[in-house]
Amino acid sequence: PRPPVMAVGGRQDIFISLNRSVSSCLFFLLLGSIIRLAYSFLKNQNEKRMLENANLNAEVNFLKSQINPHFLFNTLNGIYSQAHNKSENTEYSILKLSELLRYVLYESGEEKVALEKDIQYINNYIDLQRLRISSKVTINYTVQGSQQGFSIAPLLLISFIENSFKHGISYSQASTINIEIEIFEKTLTLQVSNPVVKSDTFTHSGGLGLKNVRRRLDLLYYGKYSLNIHQTDNPYFVY
């Protein structure tokens, strides 16, 4: 009888099939591990990004909270002076202040607001200032370009404008404050100049106001803005 030569070949086929099965199992296990690792990595990245965004929003809101009360207290002091002097403009000032408060409390909490609303806030602020300053102070204020369809981070521009009134007004000599806002295509420019009447903690590098504004600009418009501040003997200039 002929020897059963096919028995050896059969064992070889089984061994090869087992090797292939083991290799396939290892491949799918490895692939599954890679997919799980990739999913875990993406999940961690998303959670990290969400945490960073939450921290960013918290920091922006904190910086805004440092700026707003300073302005509001100054405005209230101005209205108090009007009421003390029995000024006929007191009621009008209170109305303007109520509009300012409505914007600060109900609208400025958003990351971005309509540009026309933020500029209206500036208009109301300047209207209040015109009522309280002396006739020796000249205010040149202009807004050029279309405001429709644009948004901006709230309460950024007002910081520089408020600073010009706080430190650029003299009650003993004539002074001029120039404020110009221009919107061209997708770029907004703000130019403010005022005389330096007294020591200005906002303008120095250590001033809390300027540090806060720079920080907000870095957080919200990093790489998309420029800020130039010049102070010689006179005037103080912001662009």
Side-chain angles (χ1 to χ4, degrees):
R2 302 177 64 180
V5 296
M6 295 301 296
V8 176
R11 286 194 296 270
Q12 289 177 343
D13 290 341
I14 293 171
F15 181 73
I16 292 172
S17 297
L18 287 173
N19 280 342
R20 288 176 177 173
S21 298
V22 171
S23 298
S24 298
C25 288
L26 290 175
F27 171 77
F28 284 113
L29 286 173
L30 180 61
L31 180 61
S33 298
I34 292 174
I35 292 174
R36 283 194 297 272
L37 287 173
Y39 174 78
S40 178
F41 174 77
L42 292 175
K43 182 180 179 181
N44 289 336
Q45 288 296 105
N46 288 334
E47 291 176 350
K48 181 180 178 182
R49 192 176 298 110
M50 291 174 64
L51 180 61
E52 289 175 349
N53 289 337
N55 290 336
L56 174 64
N57 291 333
E59 184 172 0
V60 168
N61 290 332
F62 173 70
L63 293 173
K64 283 167 59 179
S65 71
Q66 289 180 301
I67 295 172
N68 294 345
H70 175 70
F71 158 68
L72 292 175
F73 289 143
N74 285 344
T75 304
L76 284 172
N77 286 335
I79 294 177
Y80 171 80
S81 297
Q82 288 181 342
H84 181 74
N85 295 324
K86 305 283 193 296
S87 171
E88 61 181 11
N89 293 318
T90 303
E91 291 183 5
Y92 179 75
S93 297
I94 294 174
L95 176 62
K96 286 294 181 179
L97 178 60
S98 69
E99 294 178 0
L100 294 176
L101 288 172
R102 184 180 299 109
Y103 178 78
V104 170
L105 295 175
Y106 297 110
E107 298 184 49
S108 68
E110 300 296 326
E111 180 181 348
K112 297 288 180 68
V113 296
L115 178 59
E116 58 264 32
K117 290 185 178 181
D118 202 66
I119 291 182
Q120 182 58 46
Y121 178 81
I122 294 172
N123 296 342
N124 290 334
Y125 173 82
I126 293 177
D127 286 343
L128 277 175
Q129 296 292 355
R130 292 186 192 275
L131 293 173
R132 75 176 186 88
I133 61 179
S134 71
S135 58
K136 294 181 179 180
V137 181
T138 301
I139 304 175
N140 298 318
Y141 171 55
T142 60
V143 180
Q144 302 178 40
S146 174
Q147 306 170 30
Q148 301 297 319
F150 296 104
S151 60
I152 189 173
L155 304 174
L156 275 176
L157 305 180
I158 191 63
S159 301
F160 299 105
I161 295 170
E162 182 199 12
N163 184 67
S164 68
F165 283 96
K166 183 180 178 183
H167 302 291
I169 293 177
S170 172
Y171 293 94
S172 61
Q173 60 187 10
S175 60
T176 301
I177 295 176
N178 298 303
I179 304 167
E180 180 180 339
I181 299 173
E182 182 177 1
I183 304 101
F184 178 72
E185 294 183 350
K186 294 185 178 181
T187 299
L188 181 145
T189 60
L190 168 69
Q191 298 184 64
V192 182
S193 65
N194 58 272
V196 181
V197 175
K198 57 183 177 180
S199 178
D200 186 352
T201 57
F202 187 97
T203 59
H204 297 311
S205 60
L208 179 62
L210 180 56
K211 289 176 65 175
N212 280 355
V213 176
R214 285 188 183 276
R215 181 59 177 157
R216 285 193 69 202
L217 285 168
D218 285 337
L219 289 171
L220 299 170
Y221 293 102
Y222 183 77
K224 299 180 180 180
Y225 81 94
S226 64
L227 175 61
N228 299 314
I229 299 177
H230 302 284
Q231 181 179 0
T232 53
D233 292 336
N234 261 314
Y236 179 73
F237 181 78
V238 176
Y239 178 83

